[in-house]
Every structure is written in C-alpha cells, then in structure tokens.
C-alpha cells in the first residue's frame, strides 16, 4: 500500500496558519534601500533620521542601527483591545549614557512599552512607569524586551544574560496604535522584532456584522 504524505496536520482545516493569530516578524536580514536615504526591511517601517545595517555577528544575523525613529502601522491599522498584543525586541544600546529611548506601541500621544535611560530600563504605560530595578543593562549588551499588552494592563519582561524581571502595570492604551522605536538623538541596535495579535478562539466573535 502506498503511503500518502500529509503535510497539513489535521488537514484541511487547522489553526497553525489560520486567521486566529496575526504575526509580524522582522529579522532585519536583506535590508532594502528605500531610495530616500533610509534603509528598510521586508516589513514596511516608516523611517526618520538615520537607520542603517550593522555587520552581522555570531547568533545575530541581522542587525539594524536606529538613530532616529521607526514606526509600523498607520492610524487605523492596529488596534489594542481586550485580546491583546505580544511585542518583543531583541536589542542593545551602544552608549549607556543615552537617555529617553523608547520601544513599544504609541497612540501618537502616549506610549506603552519600554524606556532606556542612562543604563536603566523602565516599563511605561500612559503616565505610569516602573523601573526594572533587578536588571542591569550594560553597554552593547544584548537584551530581550517583551510585553503582553491589552487595552487595560501591561505585563513587561526584561531578560539579560544574567537575570530577568517581570513587572505589571495596571494601565495601558486603548484603540488604534502604531509600533514605535524612538531613538532620536540617540542610538539603539535591533536584531529581531516580533508582534503577535491573538484573536478569539471562537471564530463567531470576528465574523458577521
């Protein structure tokens, strides 16, 4: 009896690559010059200031230097709601004295995410701020910044080679947002970016009028 290859799991309907999870990932490999002095990747970032590739290293195959801002999304394309978003940046800060570098989500006025300020990292949500006081981030040290945000709260985690810390903020943003990396007058280097928006398992919740 001939064996039939089954590459679809429980074919033909399964949730692995269905509409239940929307994921955007950028490894910053294969950067493309946008023709206007900025450098973009396969993800359509909007660029201000200087954004440029950095030579790859062991375990870091795509690196981009941001000395300005990167934004992803438009005023109406991403909505932070009760289902929430997972956002992650694998990054490093070449100058430990830099201040006011932010990574996360913004509604144009306020931010949800992380702020690097002279060697310390804080989680921010609207006007609330919590410092990761158990984590020390050295100059040029790779660090993983992760957050799970809904429209009412944020769980944020920082992981370094030596330690990790998770904090909870009981505030957030609601409504449409953009992804933002703001290193105006400073610099941050990013290896990987991930955004994941989880939709309800009950498909009836996002069908119909």
């Amino acid at each position: 009896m001939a064996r039939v290859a089954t590459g679809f799991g429980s074919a033909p309907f399964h949730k692995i690559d269905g509409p239940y999870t929307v994921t955007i990932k950028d490894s910053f490999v294969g950067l493309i010059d946008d023709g206007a002095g900025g450098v973009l990747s396969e993800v359509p970032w909007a660029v201000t200031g200087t954004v440029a590739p950095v030579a790859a290293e062991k375990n870091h195959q795509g690196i981009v230097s941001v000395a300005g801002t990167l934004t992803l999304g438009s005023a109406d394309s991403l909505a932070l709601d009760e289902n929430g978003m997972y956002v992650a940046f694998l990054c490093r800060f070449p100058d430990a004295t830099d201040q006011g570098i932010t990574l996360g989500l913004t509604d144009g006025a306020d931010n949800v995410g992380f702020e690097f300020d002279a060697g310390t990292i804080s989680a921010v949500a609207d006007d609330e701020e919590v410092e990761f006081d158990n984590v020390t981030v050295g100059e040029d040290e790779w660090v993983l910044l992760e957050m799970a945000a809904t429209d009412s709260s944020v769980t944020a985690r920082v992981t370094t080679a030596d330690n990790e810390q998770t904090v909870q903020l009981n505030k957030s943003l609601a409504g449409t947002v953009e992804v933002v990396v703001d290193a105006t007058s400073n610099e941050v280097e990013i290896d990987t970016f991930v955004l994941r928006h989880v939709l309800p398992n009950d498909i009836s919740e996002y069908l119909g009028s």
Side-chain angles (χ1 to χ4, degrees):
M1 178 183 294
R3 301 186 64 182
V4 178
T6 56
F8 296 98
S10 55
F13 303 110
H14 61 93
K15 298 182 180 182
I16 297 174
D17 293 314
Y20 303 87
T21 302
V22 179
T23 302
I24 301 170
K25 184 174 181 179
D26 202 342
S27 62
F28 299 102
V29 175
L31 295 164
I32 303 170
D33 192 335
D34 69 353
V39 180
L40 305 178
S41 68
E42 63 270 25
V43 173
W45 297 99
V47 176
T48 65
T50 302
V51 179
V54 176
E57 304 172 3
K58 180 181 178 181
N59 299 325
H60 302 281
Q61 298 304 319
I63 306 170
V64 63
S65 168
V66 181
T69 63
L70 290 178
T71 54
L72 178 64
S74 68
D76 299 312
S77 65
L78 293 171
L80 187 57
D81 54 31
E82 62 184 13
N83 297 313
M85 291 183 186
Y86 168 83
V87 181
F89 297 91
L90 179 58
C91 60
R92 66 182 176 186
F93 304 93
D95 188 344
T97 65
D98 280 348
Q99 300 183 29
I101 298 176
T102 58
L103 306 95
L105 303 173
T106 183
D107 63 3
D110 297 304
N111 295 328
V112 163
F114 301 88
E115 180 171 320
F116 178 85
D117 197 347
T120 63
I121 296 180
S122 299
V124 296
D126 193 2
D127 59 354
E128 185 175 349
E129 182 173 327
V130 178
E131 182 181 327
F132 291 91
D133 52 5
N134 292 331
V135 175
T136 300
V137 179
E139 195 166 282
D140 272 337
E141 178 184 0
W142 289 106
V143 57
L144 178 60
L145 310 178
E146 301 173 277
M147 74 170 180
T150 70
D151 57 3
S152 60
S153 66
V154 178
T155 301
R157 175 182 295 172
V158 172
T159 304
T160 69
D162 302 316
N163 203 0
E164 79 172 32
Q165 185 178 359
T166 302
V167 300
Q168 180 80 28
L169 296 91
N170 295 315
K171 298 188 70 171
S172 187
L173 304 177
T176 55
V177 294
E178 296 178 324
V179 180
V180 63
V181 177
D182 188 345
T184 305
S185 302
N186 295 290
E187 183 183 7
V188 59
E189 294 181 353
I190 306 174
D191 179 339
T192 304
F193 159 78
V194 178
L195 180 146
R196 184 179 302 113
H197 183 206
V198 180
L199 300 176
N201 285 325
D202 184 353
I203 195 170
S204 67
E205 292 193 32
Y206 51 96
L207 296 180
S209 58

